[in-house]
Amino acid sequence: MLAELLTQVTAIIVVLLVGFVPVCIGRRRLRATRREWRDRMREAAPVAGVVLVVLLANRFTRQRLPDISWAIDWNLTPTFYAIEGEAIIWFQQFASPLVTQYFSFVYIYGYVFILVFPVIAYFALSDTRPLRELLSAYALNYLIGLFLYLLVIAYGPRNIMPTAIETVLYDFRPQYQYLTQEVNHNTNVFPSLHTSLSATIAIFAYRTRDEYPIWFAVAVPLAASIAVSTMYLGIHWAIDVVAGIALAVGTVYAADRFVGRWSLSEDFGIEIDEYVDRIRRTAGMRTPADPSPSADDEYGEADGTDVEDPSSDEPSTGQRS
Amino acid sequence: MDRIQRLITGAASDQLSITILTLPTDNDRQAIKIARQLEENLKAVGINVRIEPRADAELLQTVLLEHDFDCYISRHPGGYDPDFLYETFHSKFAPEAGWQNPYGFVDTELDKLLERQRSTTGSEREEAIGEALDRLAQTHPIVPICVPDERRLVRTDRFAGWNDHHLGTRLGYLGLEPDENDFEDEVVLNAVITDSSPSRNINPLAAAYRYRGPFVDLLYDSVATRDDDELRPWLAESWEWDESVATITLRSNCLFHDGEPVTADDVKFTYDLLDDTSLGDRDGQSPAPRYRGVGDAVESVTAVDDRTVRMRFGTSDEVGELAFTVPILPKHIWKTAVEDRLENGAEPIQGTWDLVTTEEIPPIGSGPFALTEQEPRSHLRFERFDDHFTRRGYVDLPEPRVDEIAFHVEPNSSAAVDQLEAGNADVTGTILGSETVGDVPDGLELVESESWTFYHIGFNVRNSPFSNLHFRRNVARLIDRESLVADVFNEQASPTVTPVTGEWVPDDLEWDGSAPYAPFFRDETNSGDTGELDIERAKREFERHGFQYDEDGEYIVRS
């Protein structure tokens, strides 16, 4: 059942991307990306690695996290309920099958799309700073989110209002719970990571509105829809959504400060090129005779493709930007 | 400030406030609905309410082991024999942690009746039970609400025999006949459960994780097994009674899953361990947080020879035999487990020390299935134990016919039914919530079993305000069982005022539309509708018993 759902999600996201990428990013940028992707990869690799580590850490601790949370036993569900009561029921007045269809689509597919698209879009920019900032913001959102999930036990409104919400996602689409429980546990609703990540992306979309005006026009309403969907579908409290927005603002600010502050080679003495090289050698792959030419030459040689002038607008990995 | 607080939380700072613990919608939609209904009525009479949802094991942990609650709403496992009342309400268990008297209830008159039903038989016992139930109905340590129908869905295309035995017991999973054509080599029975507890901890003594399901009984044998209304010899070949002394003959050549023989010594050890989980290491005893009532009936156990056990009981034979259903634990594993812990400096604190909470003691029993895999919050796998005595040709008992049973944890009842419909599972191992059983989907069959479980409100009578009998009674009078059964259970439950079911319910406590000692404050003027609370009358009753209202008469002031 899970595999089926994953295939479905992947298929729909691919369709959306195929339609959206050319329109929004444009041929010129895609062509440049084909030429420069290795440089950009190398620049984004450290922060992408961090994101990967955070995701894997979540993956492997997910089943154990609730035990630790229950040991701490800081159950905020009654507090949230006491503060906002049945506030999110307000959205029920707009309930209709069409609206429900829209919000459940947005909650599942819209969310995955909004996460994936900007990674591609910013990768297509010759300046990798937005990409690195975005990825750092992802990692920060996740890290802080996980920490709060660990610290706080909070069930969502659907778990305390069994009848008041007619549009609980898992009531009419129980299968979606397989999908979401792969990522999260039902005691982890504070803050709403759906909201915080969407809001983060919306803020970035605003900043890159000159480069991607269409994306800006899409991302902001989509992010707002995702935030509303979490409440409409009974998954999150309004408090979770507010906390999600606060988290988004905080992480964007932090990502701004952090990105470019450290450099792997200067601050930590890690030379990615050397590592790549070493890995290649141990893997017995064909390596260039001279291990220390400029990175572009090395890659260019290895793949035999034509590399354009590398001294473009790009700062290299070693430099602070 | 006061106003702001009222605005935010809906409660005044000096208002009486109570916390209701219950299960979230995912775990038990009915329990949270009852809690919400009670919340509404309590607020109407001026008592502020905090509802705190907790997951299955975490709720039990707080209530049974920590006694840290005002009141809670959930399902009680009940019992096929009313002797479970002894364990549940006798005052001598009030200080202990575990399934024994979690309410802290102390009533010497009830104690006498509970003791009397243990030493008498026939109509005398029936009478004692009737009186005990009557006493309970007047003293309200708990408010029984209803007995839900026990329903499970099964697929009939791969296995037959679903209706032969109760699916909440070990026999339900034995004797199932696989359709050989459907399986190429391994016969795997897939069950879906909605309670993750067994996947997290399978320790037979861990009170917070042991509530329902056949898991422990598949893994461990007991001297006898319950089959409908009778107790049949299981690990015992037979037993004989002589004046409160039972001489039990064990079956020959039974083995634990690790190949060690099952002997009379293991049986004796098990009852000794239940009595004192520190095995006499300390002066005080540390009785197990489970099987306390039946263990308490056992006065002494002697291993006469390898296959003969002599047990002396302080109760009637009828009650004594209930002790034959506890899981027999391997001495060679558990004795070491106790000793290791004590050597490492563990204090054998009753009910909560490591031995009776850990999941780390090897889950080795002698039962028809051995545990092969356990993934917390995901699944459990059992493999048939080929050396089990039921596999012997001459033993006339249902035997395990499947190679493997896998229990998969599902997020809720609807998801569990989906898995059956999709053909991924053969049976819903846990009882279905009443929201999921409407029309039975094609290819599935509904199995109804006798039910002993009941929904109830449990009060912690150690603390104010539930230490006050009048307060408990007035809260009980806010419960409208009939409207709950209709609205919350879709009529798939029967209202009850007693914690026992069936023929044990005395005539005067049979449900007749109203609770005898604590009738709902029904608004009689509002004759058209049922379920209307007479708020003014309820408030007057609280006031009459010394609960003061604020000057506007809106809320009860905390004393």
Side-chain angles (χ1 to χ4, degrees):
Chain A
M1 198 162 274
L2 182 65
E4 228 169 86
L5 279 165
L6 284 175
T7 323
Q8 198 180 327
V9 171
T10 314
I12 291 186
I13 296 306
V14 167
V15 169
L16 285 174
L17 289 176
V18 165
F20 209 68
V21 164
V23 175
C24 199
I25 298 178
R27 289 237 175 114
R28 196 177 50 78
R29 284 207 188 89
L30 290 174
R31 259 201 306 274
T33 308
R34 249 182 83 187
R35 286 195 304 270
E36 298 168 9
W37 66 274
R38 291 185 201 86
D39 293 324
R40 296 183 192 170
M41 283 278 247
R42 201 162 327 121
E43 285 173 27
V47 61
V50 171
V51 173
L52 209 67
V53 167
V54 171
L55 289 177
L56 285 175
N58 175 44
R59 177 82 214 161
F60 289 109
T61 52
R62 185 169 46 87
Q63 300 290 7
R64 290 287 167 190
L65 279 185
D67 287 336
I68 304 171
S69 302
W70 280 114
I72 301 170
D73 205 358
W74 192 21
N75 192 339
L76 285 185
T77 323
T79 312
F80 291 172
Y81 176 57
I83 293 173
E84 66 170 81
E86 302 196 331
I88 64 148
I89 302 290
W90 184 80
F91 291 103
Q92 290 300 305
Q93 60 185 302
F94 309 105
S96 78
L98 196 69
V99 174
T100 307
Q101 283 286 341
Y102 170 71
F103 279 124
S104 45
F105 183 84
V106 156
Y107 183 80
I108 300 279
Y109 303 101
Y111 179 58
V112 178
F113 178 68
I114 207 174
L115 286 181
V116 174
F117 181 79
V119 176
I120 300 172
Y122 295 160
F123 187 71
L125 291 178
S126 52
D127 178 5
T128 59
R129 193 180 163 92
L131 177 63
R132 284 177 293 146
E133 282 189 2
L134 181 78
L135 291 177
S136 332
Y138 278 9
L140 278 174
N141 266 300
Y142 237 90
L143 268 182
I144 298 171
L146 281 183
F147 175 71
L148 286 169
Y149 286 167
L150 184 72
L151 199 66
V152 172
I153 288 171
Y155 284 101
R158 67 186 179 84
N159 260 314
I160 203 168
M161 302 176 197
T163 45
I165 312 161
E166 300 269 319
T167 54
V168 172
L169 178 64
Y170 307 129
D171 286 354
F172 60 90
R173 291 278 156 71
Q175 66 271 29
Y176 282 159
Q177 204 159 354
Y178 292 107
L179 208 60
T180 52
Q181 76 169 6
E182 282 302 306
V183 196
N184 211 341
H185 195 253
N186 64 358
T187 50
N188 294 338
V189 302
F190 179 81
S192 160
L193 279 189
H194 260 74
T195 305
S196 76
L197 284 164
S198 306
T200 301
I201 289 155
I203 299 172
F204 275 99
Y206 172 74
R207 291 178 163 190
T208 55
R209 65 191 182 282
D210 291 339
E211 285 86 353
Y212 292 128
I214 304 175
W215 172 240
F216 173 57
V218 171
V220 172
L222 182 57
S225 295
I226 290 171
V228 171
S229 78
T230 65
M231 294 181 282
Y232 178 86
L233 299 170
I235 293 161
H236 282 293
W237 302 96
I239 292 172
D240 305 331
V241 172
V242 171
I245 293 169
L247 179 59
V249 172
T251 48
V252 172
Y253 177 76
D256 231 7
R257 306 279 309 260
F258 289 162
V259 166
R261 173 176 279 223
W262 296 290
S263 144
L264 282 181
S265 54
E266 285 178 19
D267 294 333
F268 303 105
I270 300 169
E271 295 289 350
I272 290 195
D273 293 344
E274 269 181 35
Y275 279 96
V276 169
D277 216 38
R278 205 176 299 164
I279 290 166
R280 286 192 175 189
R281 265 198 307 261
T282 26
M285 287 168 68
R286 188 164 62 92
T287 45
D290 178 10
S292 58
S294 89
D296 291 311
D297 291 349
E298 179 198 333
Y299 278 102
E301 248 177 43
D303 284 336
T305 43
D306 181 35
V307 176
E308 287 197 2
D309 179 17
S311 64
S312 57
D313 49 10
E314 302 285 337
S316 77
T317 334
Q319 287 169 344
R320 291 160 194 252
S321 52
Chain B
M1 201 49 222
D2 212 46
R3 238 181 225 172
I4 297 169
Q5 192 190 340
R6 268 203 95 172
L7 200 69
I8 294 175
T9 65
S13 60
D14 60 343
Q15 183 175 2
L16 179 66
S17 180
I18 60 167
T19 300
I20 303 176
L21 302 185
T22 192
L23 295 151
T25 313
D26 276 346
N27 294 78
D28 191 332
R29 187 177 283 258
Q30 282 68 46
I32 183 87
K33 279 189 182 175
I34 297 172
R36 293 299 305 273
Q37 183 60 55
L38 180 63
E39 175 201 23
E40 191 185 323
N41 289 353
L42 282 165
K43 284 191 166 163
V45 300
I47 297 165
N48 185 45
V49 178
R50 238 177 118 250
I51 292 188
E52 185 177 334
R54 300 181 70 84
D56 285 290
E58 282 71 24
L59 177 69
L60 292 177
Q61 163 94 16
T62 311
V63 171
L64 302 179
L65 303 182
E66 292 161 8
H67 297 158
D68 182 18
F69 65 106
D70 290 338
C71 68
Y72 71 92
I73 295 175
S74 85
R75 206 197 292 227
H76 192 282
Y80 43 75
D81 186 283
D83 185 60
F84 83 90
L85 299 173
Y86 178 80
E87 168 180 289
T88 313
F89 298 108
H90 197 289
S91 66
K92 74 192 227 187
F93 302 130
E96 294 184 10
W99 280 97
Q100 53 268 41
N101 200 345
Y103 318 106
F105 189 62
V106 178
D107 184 89
T108 45
E109 193 174 322
L110 180 66
D111 287 350
K112 276 183 219 145
L113 295 164
L114 291 174
E115 284 159 25
R116 177 137 57 93
Q117 64 82 25
R118 299 198 111 190
S119 56
T120 50
T121 52
S123 59
E124 255 185 288
R125 181 175 187 224
E126 224 168 283
E127 205 182 288
I129 288 166
E131 281 178 46
L133 291 171
D134 227 47
R135 184 75 193 157
L136 274 173
Q138 293 174 59
T139 47
H140 314 285
I142 66 167
V143 184
I145 295 170
C146 64
V147 178
D149 297 349
E150 189 159 333
R151 297 171 168 210
R152 291 176 179 82
L153 282 172
V154 298
R155 281 192 80 91
T156 48
D157 52 352
R158 288 186 287 244
F159 296 93
W162 295 110
N163 284 297
D164 294 354
H165 300 281
H166 197 297
L167 283 172
T169 68
R170 62 156 78 86
L171 290 185
Y173 288 85
L174 304 182
L176 289 177
E177 276 180 54
D179 184 340
E180 302 291 349
N181 303 327
D182 284 330
F183 299 94
E184 283 179 5
D185 38 24
E186 284 245 292
V187 177
V188 181
L189 172 70
N190 285 295
V192 282
I193 53 177
T194 54
D195 175 6
S196 65
S197 301
S199 71
R200 296 166 60 190
N201 183 321
I202 196 82
N203 181 342
L205 301 183
Y209 295 90
R210 300 284 79 79
Y211 156 45
R212 52 187 174 190
F215 314 101
V216 164
D217 285 350
L218 290 175
L219 209 47
Y220 297 88
D221 282 324
S222 46
V223 170
T225 197
R226 166 89 22 198
D227 187 6
D228 281 336
D229 287 335
E230 59 165 345
L231 213 53
R232 294 175 72 179
W234 186 251
L235 196 54
E237 205 167 71
S238 63
W239 61 79
E240 266 170 48
W241 281 100
D242 182 19
E243 300 277 317
S244 312
V245 176
T247 306
I248 300 161
T249 310
L250 300 177
R251 290 179 199 279
S252 56
N253 304 321
C254 289
L255 298 176
F256 286 107
H257 302 149
D258 61 356
E260 294 288 321
V262 183
T263 68
D265 221 24
D266 294 301
V267 177
K268 173 181 163 50
F269 172 82
T270 299
Y271 292 102
D272 289 348
L273 185 73
L274 292 182
D275 192 41
D276 181 6
T277 54
S278 70
L279 296 173
D281 182 76
R282 298 296 196 293
D283 288 344
Q285 292 199 324
S286 180
R290 286 193 81 206
Y291 311 112
R292 185 67 170 112
V294 291
D296 190 64
V298 181
E299 283 193 343
S300 68
V301 189
T302 331
V304 181
D305 60 39
D306 267 4
R307 285 181 55 203
T308 316
V309 187
R310 196 161 290 150
M311 295 179 75
R312 174 179 291 281
F313 290 91
T315 63
S316 68
D317 305 357
E318 192 177 323
V319 169
E321 281 184 0
L322 299 174
F324 293 172
T325 57
V326 306
I328 299 303
L329 308 175
K331 181 179 179 180
H332 64 279
I333 287 174
W334 283 78
K335 189 157 191 286
T336 328
V338 175
E339 287 166 355
D340 284 353
R341 281 168 174 75
L342 292 174
E343 265 167 40
N344 290 333
E347 259 321 296
I349 298 166
Q350 190 277 325
T352 53
W353 76 298
D354 193 57
L355 188 88
V356 295
T357 48
T358 183
E359 75 260 21
E360 275 159 21
I361 300 170
I364 289 178
S366 61
F369 286 90
L371 187 69
T372 51
E373 209 180 307
Q374 186 183 21
E375 182 63 39
R377 297 192 162 81
S378 167
H379 65 267
L380 295 129
R381 263 177 225 287
F382 292 92
E383 182 183 71
R384 183 175 59 212
F385 182 48
D386 285 328
D387 287 329
H388 196 255
F389 62 83
T390 50
R391 306 260 296 155
R392 299 170 191 170
Y394 57 88
V395 174
D396 182 27
L397 284 164
E399 62 176 285
R401 308 213 19 207
V402 303
D403 297 308
E404 190 184 298
I405 306 181
F407 290 95
H408 307 274
V409 180
E410 298 297 326
N412 56 45
S413 260
S414 327
V417 175
D418 274 7
Q419 291 286 36
L420 253 73
E421 280 189 83
N424 299 333
D426 301 290
V427 54
T428 54
T430 30
I431 303 167
L432 289 171
S434 53
E435 79 275 12
T436 33
V437 194
D439 299 318
V440 178
D442 280 346
L444 304 189
E445 199 180 295
L446 194 64
V447 176
E448 291 206 41
S449 317
E450 197 182 344
S451 182
W452 304 292
T453 72
F454 57 91
Y455 279 90
H456 69 299
I457 311 172
F459 298 128
N460 189 351
V461 307
R462 296 172 188 88
N463 307 329
S464 171
F466 289 109
S467 49
N468 184 326
L469 165 66
H470 303 295
F471 190 77
R472 297 201 297 273
R473 182 188 299 125
N474 284 333
V475 170
R477 296 189 65 182
L478 298 174
I479 297 291
D480 182 1
R481 292 176 176 77
E482 281 190 337
S483 78
L484 286 175
V485 164
D487 302 341
V488 174
F489 291 88
N490 303 322
E491 305 288 353
Q492 293 168 21
S494 332
T496 184
V497 290
T498 72
V500 304
T501 56
E503 66 218 52
W504 290 103
V505 181
D507 290 344
D508 59 324
L509 292 177
E510 288 279 5
W511 180 253
D512 62 355
S514 161
Y517 298 103
F520 177 56
F521 288 118
R522 193 178 303 282
D523 188 351
E524 306 294 352
T525 55
N526 196 332
S527 54
D529 287 292
T530 51
E532 286 294 322
L533 174 69
D534 188 340
I535 297 169
E536 285 316 309
R537 192 152 60 98
K539 280 183 168 179
R540 275 201 307 279
E541 278 301 307
F542 275 101
E543 217 160 17
R544 197 164 73 84
H545 291 108
F547 290 90
Q548 272 185 5
Y549 278 82
D550 70 314
E551 50 202 22
D552 299 328
E554 278 177 23
Y555 61 85
I556 296 183
V557 177
R558 195 173 46 223
S559 51

